[in-house]
Amino acid sequence: MQPEPAIKLGAYYFDGWSGLTNNHLTEALVDSFPERKPSWGWLTSTPDVMQKQIDAAADAGISFFSFCWYSPNSTKTTFRTDPLNRALKFYLKAPNKKRLKFCLMVANHQGFTVGPAEWATVSQAWIDLFKQPQYVTVNGRPLLIFFSVGSLVKEFGTSLAIRQAFDSLRTAAQSQGLPGVTIAACLSGNASEMAQAQRCGFDVLTGYNYHDAGFKQNSKVFPIDSLLAGSRRVWNRFEAGSLPYIPVATLNWDPRPWASTSRSYAQSSRYTGYSSGSVYKAIRDARKWVNTHPDKTPKEKLVLAYAWNENGEGAWLTPSVNQADNLLNGVRRAVKP
């Protein structure tokens, strides 16, 4: 039997670990969840640790980081100085950055919305990053992911206005020597959402995580296999869509360390059994989906994993001295051709 073709695996990277942001490195996380502490320490947003993370990810077979990128709505800071974008700066200056590609996931949720007023400014900032030789492309064009379609609709007012903004971004990129931009939307596979994304001018669909895919009523704790099965069901919803889809391997969900910062975290269900074995299964399943749906996914065979370092929400791959089971071993097994 011929082995399944290889995939290009990306991992979402959340930069809440500089010590400069609120509600991320909580007392509960530090005191009660030592297995989540990276082997480099909790504060990983430094030049030295970024180099080590690049090596660890590349050695495990990860092809790229998708950095969560923030444009704060506060007058106190901008995207150029916001602590949530520090890790990206350290990556760009890392001497070993050629080992790992990158792209952006614009986290345009509440507090970081992007609309007409800042569109020209952020567009140029994105284009400057697209020019980096390590930037990920889909269909030969730089890949830009948006977290929230609903937020764009609220800010721009109509699907047509969003489509026009996207066209202006593509035109600006082309005027600076790029072939355009491939723009992706994070969705759950709902038919009406997929239709709206197409009206807005998105090229590709994907997601950030599907953490509730394995939840059922009248319970708070579920085995990790329930999440794996639920994720497969979510991916299959995209078979009915007209746009290609990049599947997301949701590795885990357990936001107890952040329960004091959000009512939704405090009330959330969670999974048990997170391990290198479950990581392997999640990425293996996504790889199988890509290879059995060649007409529904980009030719680059991308898969996104949630996440490299969502320590507060319970989805992480960073090695830990307090966890004998190295989660990256699951990645190695899953991406190997």
Side-chain angles (χ1 to χ4, degrees):
M1 185 191 311
Q2 292 294 322
E4 286 186 357
I7 57 171
K8 293 180 180 178
L9 178 66
Y12 282 121
Y13 189 108
F14 170 67
D15 187 19
W17 316 112
S18 63
L20 302 174
T21 59
N22 297 325
N23 303 326
H24 295 141
L25 190 57
T26 63
E27 183 177 343
L29 178 58
V30 173
D31 292 345
S32 302
F33 297 86
E35 72 280 3
R36 304 187 189 187
K37 182 181 179 180
S39 58
W40 313 289
W42 284 115
L43 301 181
T44 56
S45 191
T46 68
D48 179 62
V49 176
M50 174 51 69
Q51 292 180 44
K52 294 176 180 178
Q53 291 181 89
I54 291 171
D55 283 338
D59 288 345
I62 292 173
S63 297
F64 63 96
F65 281 154
S66 183
F67 287 98
C68 299
W69 187 91
Y70 294 85
S71 179
N73 300 142
S74 168
T75 58
K76 298 179 181 179
T77 185
T78 71
F79 61 83
R80 301 186 192 280
T81 58
D82 193 273
L84 289 171
N85 295 331
R86 277 166 56 97
L88 173 59
K89 293 182 180 180
F90 297 144
Y91 163 86
L92 292 171
K93 295 179 180 180
N96 59 340
K97 66 180 180 181
K98 291 183 179 180
R99 298 198 66 200
L100 199 72
K101 291 182 178 291
F102 82 104
C103 72
L104 302 183
M105 194 284 295
V106 181
N108 63 322
H109 49 64
Q110 184 177 5
F112 302 93
T113 57
V114 174
E118 53 276 328
W119 189 256
T121 301
V122 296
S123 290
Q124 186 56 55
W126 297 334
I127 291 170
D128 290 341
L129 291 169
F130 296 162
K131 296 175 184 177
Q132 293 284 330
Q134 281 77 40
Y135 201 91
V136 174
T137 60
V138 169
N139 292 326
R141 301 185 295 272
L143 173 65
L144 182 67
I145 304 171
F146 281 90
F147 178 80
S148 175
V149 177
S151 174
L152 286 174
V153 173
K154 183 176 180 181
E155 294 298 314
F156 282 90
T158 65
S159 298
L160 177 60
I162 297 171
R163 178 180 286 271
Q164 291 171 339
F166 287 172
D167 287 344
S168 72
L169 171 61
R170 295 184 180 103
T171 299
Q174 290 169 342
S175 71
Q176 297 181 52
L178 296 168
V181 186
T182 295
I183 305 176
C186 290
L187 297 180
S188 64
N190 177 280
S192 62
E193 290 179 341
M194 289 192 285
Q196 181 183 53
Q198 189 162 12
R199 291 194 300 271
C200 290
F202 283 96
D203 304 295
V204 178
L205 306 179
T206 188
Y208 188 61
N209 71 62
Y210 305 123
H211 68 269
D212 57 353
F215 292 164
K216 300 178 183 178
Q217 293 181 345
N218 303 321
S219 184
K220 296 289 288 185
V221 182
F222 300 89
I224 197 71
D225 283 350
S226 180
L227 173 60
L228 301 179
S231 295
R232 294 192 296 269
R233 290 193 294 270
V234 171
W235 303 337
N236 289 338
R237 295 176 195 162
F238 289 90
E239 293 177 353
S242 300
L243 296 176
Y245 173 64
I246 300 170
V248 178
T250 306
L251 301 181
N252 192 36
W253 180 261
D254 179 0
R256 286 177 293 167
W258 285 356
S260 63
T261 67
S262 168
R263 182 181 178 188
S264 63
Y265 288 134
Q267 296 178 336
S268 177
S269 296
R270 60 185 174 89
Y271 299 100
T272 60
Y274 184 45
S275 67
S276 63
S278 69
V279 168
Y280 164 74
K281 292 178 182 178
I283 298 173
R284 175 206 62 188
D285 289 352
R287 174 179 167 181
K288 182 176 181 179
W289 196 93
V290 164
N291 285 313
T292 55
H293 295 78
D295 59 332
K296 298 301 298 183
T297 193
K299 62 183 180 181
E300 289 84 358
K301 296 185 180 295
L302 300 186
V303 168
L304 284 160
Y306 166 87
W308 177 253
N309 58 354
E310 281 282 15
N311 304 319
E313 294 177 346
W316 78 96
L317 288 171
T318 48
S320 170
V321 295
N322 298 304
Q323 187 176 29
D325 183 18
N326 188 338
L327 299 167
L328 288 175
N329 287 336
V331 176
R332 291 186 182 92
R333 292 174 56 204
V335 300
K336 184 178 179 181

